[in-house]
Amino acid sequence: MYDPTVARLTYRALLGRRRALILSALPMLLIAISVAVRAMTGADDQSAANLLGGLALATMVPIIGVIAGTGAIGPEIDDGSVVYLLSKPVKRSTIIFTKLIVAIAVTMVFSALPTMIAGLILNGNGQQVAVAYTVAALVASIAYAALFLLLGTVSRHAVVFGLVYALVWEALFGSLVSGARTLSVQQWALAVAHKVTGGNLVTSDVSLTTGTVLLVAVTVLATWYAGQKLRSLKLAGEE
């Protein structure tokens, strides 16, 4: 299910100089703001939770997921080079799964790791806030990577649609409209984070069971459907 050659090519595409700079921008901003907040307010648990929830989980993680998920396959479809890849004796499911693993890894490194660093800077992991949001970033990275990898296989405007979802649905509607929160990867991840803290600093509009089931279901279904779309793309190319 995992092809090292496909993985190497995908890593090279995602971590090129320009894309790596883009991926690094938000994590560096988060850490810089965390340093400033710590200097001004000291080690405050509520400030840490607010910053990690509002900037890290609600904004940084989905945007990095968009860049990594769509970038894992979208450019190859746009320039037609995916046809060369599909001509090789590699199963389509293997291609999708390999690209998903790479997208998840990149999203985790550029979102979960900075979240942990920022949390430690803000309050030294008081009340397990840093660990909770890091776990939330990890599980959200999996679902976002699968969703945006699927989006990259079905649309040439995947980045635009992905950013609309990340910034409008997750960040805007997710914070203003209660009904939208239950259909938000962010809220599902927060349900897991709430379990880690066991307190009221991290809350979610869904239960742990619901959040976990939805995270798994979205990841599995998005990955499966992306494989189906890749199969159709190959057949179209042969015709």
Side-chain angles (χ1 to χ4, degrees):
M1 291 297 292
Y2 181 85
D3 187 274
T5 301
V6 174
R8 184 174 66 253
L9 293 173
T10 307
Y11 275 119
R12 185 179 301 172
L14 285 178
L15 300 178
R17 181 177 300 178
R18 181 182 301 178
R19 198 178 296 271
L21 288 175
I22 296 174
L23 285 168
S24 302
L26 278 174
M28 290 189 295
L29 177 63
L30 173 65
I31 292 173
I33 292 176
S34 299
V35 172
V37 170
R38 176 62 185 264
M40 291 186 294
T41 65
D44 182 75
D45 295 340
Q46 189 61 59
S47 296
N50 291 341
L51 183 58
L52 294 179
L55 178 57
L57 190 62
T59 304
M60 182 184 70
V61 180
I63 289 178
I64 291 177
V66 169
I67 298 171
T70 61
I73 196 169
E76 292 176 307
I77 294 177
D78 290 342
D79 62 21
S81 61
V82 71
V83 176
Y84 173 79
L85 178 61
L86 294 176
S87 68
K88 300 301 179 181
V90 181
K91 292 181 178 180
R92 292 173 294 273
S93 58
T94 298
I95 294 173
I96 286 295
F97 185 76
T98 302
K99 287 183 174 293
L100 175 62
I101 294 299
V102 173
I104 289 172
V106 171
T107 306
M108 286 182 172
V109 168
F110 284 92
S111 61
L113 182 59
T115 298
M116 172 61 84
I117 294 172
L120 293 175
I121 292 171
L122 286 164
N123 74 335
N125 195 37
Q127 297 194 54
Q128 296 292 307
V129 170
V131 171
Y133 277 104
T134 299
V135 171
L138 288 171
V139 297
S141 294
I142 299 172
Y144 282 133
L147 278 174
F148 296 130
L149 179 66
L150 169 62
L151 196 56
T153 65
V154 301
S155 174
R156 291 182 177 273
H157 306 289
V159 174
V160 175
F161 292 140
L163 289 175
V164 168
Y165 173 83
L167 297 177
V168 176
W169 183 266
E170 291 277 10
L172 182 59
F173 283 99
S175 61
L176 299 177
V177 183
S178 59
R181 296 172 191 162
T182 58
L183 298 176
S184 166
V185 174
Q186 176 190 346
Q187 291 297 321
W188 306 341
L190 282 173
V192 180
H194 174 69
K195 179 65 175 180
V196 174
T197 61
N200 295 323
L201 277 176
V202 183
T203 59
S204 173
D205 284 7
V206 300
S207 67
L208 176 62
T209 300
T210 300
T212 303
V213 170
L214 289 173
L215 284 168
V216 173
V218 165
T219 301
V220 171
L221 290 174
T223 304
W224 171 81
Y225 192 60
Q228 298 303 306
K229 295 300 294 184
L230 197 62
R231 176 179 291 110
S232 300
L233 180 66
K234 179 177 180 181
L235 293 174
E238 290 176 346
E239 292 175 357

